[in-house]
Amino acid sequence: MAARYEVRHQPGKGYHFVLIATNSQVIATSEHYESHRACLNGIDSVKRNADAPIQDVTGDAGKQN
C-alpha cells in the first residue's frame, strides 16, 4: 500500500490531515483548518512543496549519534 493522506474532523477544532506511511505509521500531522476545502488545499500545498531542501537550525549539523 502506498502512503496516503487522511482528512480528519474534530468538532470544535475543524479539519486536519495526517500523512500515513506505507507501514501505517503517522509521519506528519497538519494544523487545523476551519473548512474541509481549506484542509484539502493544505494537502495540495504539501504535495507541491514537499521536494524542499533541509535546513537544520539546531546547530547539530554534521554530528553523528
Side-chain angles (χ1 to χ4, degrees):
M1 175 191 263
R4 68 185 187 278
Y5 294 91
E6 282 188 4
V7 176
R8 298 179 177 179
H9 181 256
Q10 290 182 301
K13 288 191 172 184
Y15 297 87
H16 73 280
F17 66 86
V18 293
L19 177 56
I20 301 177
T22 56
N23 65 359
S24 299
Q25 296 295 306
V26 173
I27 57 174
T29 303
S30 75
E31 63 181 300
H32 283 88
Y33 298 91
E34 289 187 23
S35 70
H36 187 263
R37 170 80 338 229
C39 186
L40 295 177
N41 289 342
I43 292 171
D44 287 340
S45 177
V46 170
K47 287 180 176 181
R48 280 191 317 274
N49 297 296
D51 187 20
I54 297 170
Q55 182 177 4
D56 187 341
V57 296
T58 64
D60 292 337
K63 292 184 181 177
Q64 295 183 8
N65 293 329

Coordinates of all heavy atoms in Angstrom, one line a residue:
M1 N 0.8 -1.2 0.0 CA 0.0 0.0 0.0 C 0.9 1.2 0.0 O 1.9 1.3 0.7 CB -0.9 0.0 1.2 CG -1.7 1.3 1.4 SD -2.5 1.4 3.0 CE -4.1 0.8 2.5
A2 N 0.5 2.2 -0.7 CA 1.3 3.5 -0.8 C 0.9 4.4 0.4 O -0.1 4.2 1.0 CB 0.9 4.2 -2.1
A3 N 1.8 5.3 0.6 CA 1.5 6.3 1.6 C 0.2 7.0 1.3 O -0.2 7.1 0.1 CB 2.6 7.3 1.7
R4 N -0.5 7.6 2.3 CA -1.7 8.3 2.0 C -2.0 9.4 3.0 O -1.3 9.5 4.0 CB -2.9 7.3 2.1 CG -3.1 6.8 3.5 CD -4.2 5.7 3.6 NE -4.6 5.3 4.9 CZ -3.9 4.5 5.7 NH1 -2.8 3.9 5.2 NH2 -4.3 4.2 6.9
Y5 N -2.8 10.3 2.6 CA -3.3 11.4 3.4 C -4.7 11.0 3.9 O -5.5 10.5 3.2 CB -3.4 12.7 2.6 CG -2.1 13.3 2.1 CD1 -1.6 12.9 0.9 CD2 -1.4 14.1 2.9 CE1 -0.4 13.4 0.4 CE2 -0.2 14.6 2.5 CZ 0.3 14.3 1.2 OH 1.5 14.8 0.8
E6 N -4.9 11.3 5.2 CA -6.3 11.1 5.8 C -6.8 12.5 6.3 O -6.0 13.1 7.0 CB -6.3 10.2 6.9 CG -6.2 8.7 6.6 CD -6.4 7.8 7.8 OE1 -6.6 8.2 8.9 OE2 -6.2 6.6 7.5
V7 N -7.9 12.8 5.8 CA -8.6 14.1 6.3 C -9.4 13.7 7.5 O -10.2 12.7 7.5 CB -9.5 14.7 5.2 CG1 -10.2 15.9 5.8 CG2 -8.6 15.1 4.0
R8 N -9.3 14.4 8.6 CA -10.0 14.1 9.8 C -10.7 15.4 10.3 O -10.3 16.5 10.0 CB -9.0 13.6 10.9 CG -8.3 12.3 10.5 CD -7.4 11.8 11.5 NE -6.8 10.6 11.1 CZ -5.9 9.9 11.9 NH1 -5.4 10.4 13.0 NH2 -5.4 8.8 11.4
H9 N -11.8 15.1 11.1 CA -12.6 16.3 11.6 C -12.7 16.1 13.1 O -13.0 15.0 13.6 CB -14.0 16.3 11.0 CG -14.8 17.4 11.5 ND1 -15.8 17.3 12.4 CD2 -14.7 18.7 11.2 CE1 -16.4 18.4 12.6 NE2 -15.7 19.3 11.9
Q10 N -12.5 17.2 13.8 CA -12.7 17.2 15.3 C -13.6 18.3 15.6 O -13.3 19.5 15.3 CB -11.4 17.5 16.0 CG -10.4 16.3 15.9 CD -9.1 16.6 16.7 OE1 -8.4 17.5 16.4 NE2 -8.9 15.7 17.7
P11 N -14.8 18.0 16.1 CA -15.8 19.1 16.4 C -15.2 20.1 17.3 O -14.5 19.8 18.3 CB -16.9 18.3 17.2 CG -16.8 16.9 16.6 CD -15.3 16.7 16.4
G12 N -15.4 21.4 17.0 CA -14.9 22.5 17.7 C -13.5 22.9 17.3 O -13.0 24.0 17.7
K13 N -12.7 22.0 16.6 CA -11.4 22.3 16.2 C -11.3 22.5 14.7 O -10.4 23.1 14.2 CB -10.4 21.3 16.7 CG -10.1 21.3 18.1 CD -9.0 20.4 18.5 CE -8.6 20.6 19.9 NZ -7.4 19.8 20.3
G14 N -12.2 21.8 13.9 CA -12.1 21.8 12.5 C -11.5 20.6 11.9 O -11.5 19.5 12.5
Y15 N -10.9 20.8 10.7 CA -10.3 19.7 9.9 C -8.8 19.7 10.0 O -8.2 20.8 10.1 CB -10.7 19.8 8.5 CG -12.2 19.7 8.3 CD1 -13.1 20.8 8.4 CD2 -12.8 18.5 8.0 CE1 -14.4 20.7 8.2 CE2 -14.2 18.3 7.8 CZ -15.0 19.5 7.9 OH -16.3 19.3 7.8
H16 N -8.2 18.6 9.9 CA -6.7 18.5 9.8 C -6.5 17.2 9.0 O -7.3 16.4 8.8 CB -6.0 18.5 11.1 CG -6.1 17.2 11.9 ND1 -7.3 17.0 12.7 CD2 -5.3 16.2 12.1 CE1 -7.1 15.8 13.3 NE2 -5.9 15.3 12.9
F17 N -5.2 17.1 8.5 CA -4.9 15.9 7.8 C -3.6 15.3 8.4 O -2.8 15.9 9.1 CB -4.6 16.1 6.3 CG -3.5 17.0 6.0 CD1 -2.2 16.5 5.8 CD2 -3.7 18.3 5.7 CE1 -1.1 17.3 5.5 CE2 -2.6 19.2 5.4 CZ -1.4 18.6 5.3
V18 N -3.5 14.0 8.2 CA -2.3 13.3 8.6 C -1.7 12.5 7.4 O -2.5 12.1 6.5 CB -2.5 12.2 9.8 CG1 -2.9 13.0 11.1 CG2 -3.6 11.2 9.4
L19 N -0.4 12.4 7.4 CA 0.2 11.7 6.3 C 0.6 10.4 6.9 O 1.3 10.3 7.9 CB 1.4 12.5 5.8 CG 2.3 11.8 4.7 CD1 1.5 11.4 3.5 CD2 3.5 12.7 4.3
I20 N 0.2 9.3 6.3 CA 0.4 7.9 6.8 C 1.4 7.2 5.9 O 1.1 7.1 4.7 CB -0.9 7.2 7.0 CG1 -1.8 8.0 8.0 CG2 -0.6 5.8 7.5 CD1 -3.1 7.4 8.2
A21 N 2.4 6.7 6.5 CA 3.5 6.0 5.7 C 2.9 4.6 5.3 O 1.9 4.1 5.7 CB 4.7 5.8 6.5
T22 N 3.7 3.9 4.4 CA 3.3 2.6 3.9 C 3.2 1.6 5.0 O 2.5 0.6 4.9 CB 4.3 2.1 2.9 OG1 5.6 2.1 3.4 CG2 4.2 3.0 1.6
N23 N 3.9 1.8 6.2 CA 3.8 0.9 7.3 C 2.7 1.3 8.3 O 2.7 0.8 9.4 CB 5.2 0.8 8.0 CG 5.6 2.1 8.7 OD1 4.8 3.1 8.6 ND2 6.7 2.2 9.3
S24 N 1.8 2.2 7.9 CA 0.6 2.6 8.6 C 1.0 3.5 9.8 O 0.1 3.8 10.6 CB -0.2 1.4 9.1 OG -0.6 0.7 8.0
Q25 N 2.2 4.0 9.9 CA 2.5 5.0 10.9 C 2.3 6.4 10.5 O 2.6 6.8 9.3 CB 4.0 4.8 11.3 CG 4.4 3.4 11.9 CD 3.7 3.2 13.2 OE1 3.8 4.0 14.1 NE2 2.9 2.1 13.3
V26 N 1.8 7.2 11.4 CA 1.6 8.7 11.1 C 3.0 9.3 11.1 O 3.7 9.2 12.0 CB 0.7 9.3 12.1 CG1 0.6 10.8 11.9 CG2 -0.7 8.7 12.1
I27 N 3.3 10.0 10.0 CA 4.6 10.6 9.9 C 4.5 12.2 9.8 O 5.5 12.8 9.9 CB 5.4 10.1 8.7 CG1 4.7 10.3 7.4 CG2 5.8 8.6 8.9 CD1 5.5 9.9 6.1
A28 N 3.3 12.7 9.7 CA 3.1 14.1 9.7 C 1.7 14.4 10.1 O 0.7 13.7 9.7 CB 3.5 14.8 8.4
T29 N 1.5 15.5 10.8 CA 0.1 16.0 11.1 C 0.1 17.5 10.8 O 1.0 18.2 11.2 CB -0.1 15.8 12.6 OG1 0.0 14.4 12.9 CG2 -1.5 16.2 13.0
S30 N -1.0 17.9 10.2 CA -1.2 19.3 9.9 C -1.7 20.2 11.0 O -2.2 19.6 12.0 CB -2.1 19.4 8.6 OG -3.5 19.2 9.0
E31 N -1.8 21.4 10.7 CA -2.5 22.4 11.6 C -4.0 22.1 11.4 O -4.4 21.3 10.5 CB -2.2 23.8 11.1 CG -2.6 24.1 9.7 CD -2.3 25.5 9.3 OE1 -2.7 26.5 9.9 OE2 -1.5 25.7 8.3
H32 N -4.8 22.8 12.2 CA -6.3 22.6 12.0 C -6.8 23.7 11.0 O -6.3 24.9 11.1 CB -7.0 22.7 13.3 CG -6.9 21.5 14.1 ND1 -5.9 21.2 14.9 CD2 -7.7 20.4 14.1 CE1 -6.0 20.0 15.5 NE2 -7.2 19.5 15.0
Y33 N -7.7 23.3 10.2 CA -8.3 24.3 9.2 C -9.8 24.4 9.5 O -10.4 23.5 10.0 CB -8.2 23.7 7.8 CG -6.7 23.5 7.3 CD1 -6.1 22.3 7.6 CD2 -6.1 24.5 6.7 CE1 -4.7 22.1 7.1 CE2 -4.7 24.4 6.3 CZ -4.1 23.2 6.5 OH -2.8 23.0 6.1
E34 N -10.3 25.6 9.2 CA -11.7 25.8 9.5 C -12.7 25.1 8.6 O -13.8 24.7 9.0 CB -12.0 27.3 9.4 CG -11.4 28.1 10.6 CD -11.9 29.6 10.6 OE1 -12.9 29.9 10.0 OE2 -11.1 30.4 11.2
S35 N -12.2 24.8 7.4 CA -13.1 24.2 6.4 C -12.5 22.9 5.8 O -11.2 22.8 5.7 CB -13.6 25.1 5.3 OG -12.4 25.4 4.4
H36 N -13.3 22.1 5.3 CA -12.8 20.9 4.6 C -12.0 21.3 3.3 O -10.9 20.7 3.1 CB -14.0 20.0 4.2 CG -13.7 18.7 3.6 ND1 -13.6 18.5 2.2 CD2 -13.4 17.5 4.2 CE1 -13.3 17.2 2.0 NE2 -13.1 16.6 3.2
R37 N -12.5 22.3 2.6 CA -11.8 22.8 1.4 C -10.4 23.3 1.7 O -9.4 23.0 1.0 CB -12.6 23.8 0.7 CG -11.9 24.6 -0.4 CD -11.8 24.0 -1.8 NE -11.9 22.6 -2.0 CZ -11.1 21.8 -2.7 NH1 -10.0 22.3 -3.3 NH2 -11.3 20.5 -2.9
A38 N -10.3 24.0 2.8 CA -9.0 24.6 3.2 C -8.0 23.4 3.6 O -6.8 23.5 3.3 CB -9.2 25.5 4.4
C39 N -8.5 22.4 4.2 CA -7.7 21.2 4.5 C -7.2 20.6 3.3 O -6.0 20.2 3.2 CB -8.5 20.3 5.4 SG -7.6 18.9 6.0
L40 N -8.1 20.4 2.3 CA -7.7 19.8 1.0 C -6.6 20.7 0.3 O -5.7 20.2 -0.3 CB -8.9 19.6 0.1 CG -9.9 18.5 0.6 CD1 -11.1 18.5 -0.4 CD2 -9.2 17.2 0.8
N41 N -6.8 22.0 0.4 CA -5.8 22.9 -0.1 C -4.5 22.8 0.6 O -3.4 22.9 0.0 CB -6.3 24.4 0.0 CG -7.4 24.7 -1.0 OD1 -7.7 24.0 -1.9 ND2 -8.1 25.8 -0.7
G42 N -4.5 22.5 1.9 CA -3.3 22.3 2.6 C -2.5 21.0 2.1 O -1.3 21.0 2.0
I43 N -3.3 20.0 1.8 CA -2.7 18.8 1.3 C -2.0 19.1 -0.1 O -0.9 18.7 -0.4 CB -3.7 17.6 1.1 CG1 -4.2 17.2 2.5 CG2 -3.2 16.5 0.3 CD1 -5.3 16.2 2.5
D44 N -2.8 19.8 -0.9 CA -2.2 20.2 -2.2 C -0.9 21.0 -2.1 O 0.0 20.8 -2.8 CB -3.2 21.0 -3.0 CG -4.4 20.1 -3.6 OD1 -4.2 18.9 -3.6 OD2 -5.4 20.7 -3.9
S45 N -0.9 21.9 -1.1 CA 0.3 22.7 -0.9 C 1.5 21.8 -0.5 O 2.6 22.0 -1.0 CB 0.1 23.7 0.2 OG 1.2 24.4 0.5
V46 N 1.3 20.8 0.4 CA 2.3 19.9 0.8 C 2.8 19.1 -0.4 O 4.0 19.0 -0.7 CB 1.9 18.9 1.9 CG1 2.9 17.8 2.1 CG2 1.6 19.7 3.2
K47 N 1.9 18.6 -1.2 CA 2.3 17.9 -2.4 C 3.2 18.7 -3.4 O 4.1 18.2 -3.9 CB 1.1 17.4 -3.2 CG 0.3 16.3 -2.5 CD -0.9 15.9 -3.3 CE -1.6 14.7 -2.7 NZ -2.8 14.3 -3.5
R48 N 2.8 20.0 -3.5 CA 3.6 20.8 -4.4 C 4.9 21.2 -3.9 O 5.9 21.4 -4.6 CB 2.8 22.1 -4.7 CG 1.7 22.0 -5.7 CD 1.2 23.4 -6.1 NE 1.0 24.3 -5.0 CZ -0.2 24.4 -4.3 NH1 -1.2 23.6 -4.5 NH2 -0.3 25.3 -3.3
N49 N 5.0 21.4 -2.6 CA 6.2 21.9 -2.0 C 7.1 20.9 -1.2 O 8.1 21.2 -0.6 CB 5.8 23.0 -1.0 CG 5.2 24.2 -1.7 OD1 5.8 24.8 -2.5 ND2 3.9 24.5 -1.4
A50 N 6.7 19.6 -1.3 CA 7.4 18.6 -0.5 C 8.8 18.4 -0.9 O 9.6 17.9 -0.1 CB 6.6 17.3 -0.5
D51 N 9.2 18.7 -2.1 CA 10.5 18.5 -2.6 C 11.3 19.7 -2.2 O 11.7 20.5 -3.1 CB 10.6 18.2 -4.1 CG 12.0 17.9 -4.5 OD1 12.8 17.4 -3.7 OD2 12.2 18.0 -5.8
A52 N 11.6 19.9 -0.9 CA 12.3 21.1 -0.4 C 13.6 20.7 0.3 O 13.7 19.6 0.8 CB 11.4 21.8 0.6
P53 N 14.6 21.6 0.3 CA 15.8 21.3 1.0 C 15.6 21.2 2.5 O 14.7 21.8 3.0 CB 16.7 22.5 0.6 CG 15.8 23.6 0.3 CD 14.5 22.9 -0.3
I54 N 16.5 20.6 3.2 CA 16.5 20.5 4.6 C 17.4 21.7 5.2 O 18.5 21.9 4.7 CB 17.2 19.2 5.1 CG1 16.3 18.0 4.7 CG2 17.3 19.2 6.6 CD1 17.0 16.7 4.9
Q55 N 16.8 22.4 6.1 CA 17.5 23.5 6.8 C 17.6 23.1 8.2 O 16.6 23.2 9.0 CB 16.8 24.8 6.6 CG 17.6 25.9 7.2 CD 16.9 27.3 7.0 OE1 15.8 27.4 6.4 NE2 17.6 28.3 7.5
D56 N 18.8 22.7 8.7 CA 19.0 22.3 10.1 C 19.4 23.5 10.9 O 20.5 24.0 10.7 CB 20.0 21.2 10.1 CG 20.2 20.6 11.5 OD1 19.8 21.2 12.5 OD2 20.7 19.5 11.6
V57 N 18.6 24.0 11.8 CA 18.9 25.2 12.6 C 19.2 24.8 14.0 O 19.3 25.6 14.9 CB 17.7 26.2 12.5 CG1 17.5 26.7 11.1 CG2 16.4 25.6 13.1
T58 N 19.5 23.5 14.2 CA 19.8 23.0 15.6 C 21.2 23.3 16.0 O 21.5 23.2 17.2 CB 19.5 21.5 15.7 OG1 20.4 20.8 14.9 CG2 18.0 21.2 15.4
G59 N 22.1 23.5 15.0 CA 23.5 23.6 15.3 C 24.2 22.3 15.4 O 25.4 22.2 15.7
D60 N 23.4 21.2 15.2 CA 24.0 19.8 15.3 C 24.3 19.3 13.9 O 24.6 18.1 13.8 CB 23.0 18.9 15.9 CG 22.7 19.2 17.4 OD1 23.6 19.9 18.0 OD2 21.7 18.9 17.9
A61 N 24.3 20.0 12.8 CA 24.6 19.6 11.5 C 26.0 18.9 11.5 O 27.0 19.5 12.0 CB 24.6 20.7 10.5
G62 N 26.1 17.8 10.9 CA 27.4 17.1 10.8 C 27.7 16.2 12.0 O 28.6 15.4 11.9
K63 N 27.0 16.3 13.0 CA 27.2 15.4 14.2 C 26.5 14.1 14.0 O 25.5 14.0 13.4 CB 26.7 16.0 15.5 CG 27.4 17.2 15.9 CD 26.8 17.7 17.3 CE 27.5 19.0 17.7 NZ 27.0 19.5 19.0
Q64 N 27.2 13.0 14.4 CA 26.6 11.7 14.3 C 26.3 11.2 15.8 O 27.0 11.4 16.7 CB 27.6 10.7 13.7 CG 27.8 11.1 12.2 CD 28.7 10.0 11.6 OE1 29.0 9.0 12.1 NE2 29.2 10.4 10.4
N65 N 25.2 10.5 15.9 CA 24.7 10.0 17.2 C 25.4 8.7 17.5 O 25.7 7.8 16.8 CB 23.2 9.8 17.2 CG 22.5 11.1 17.2 OD1 23.0 12.1 17.7 ND2 21.3 11.1 16.6

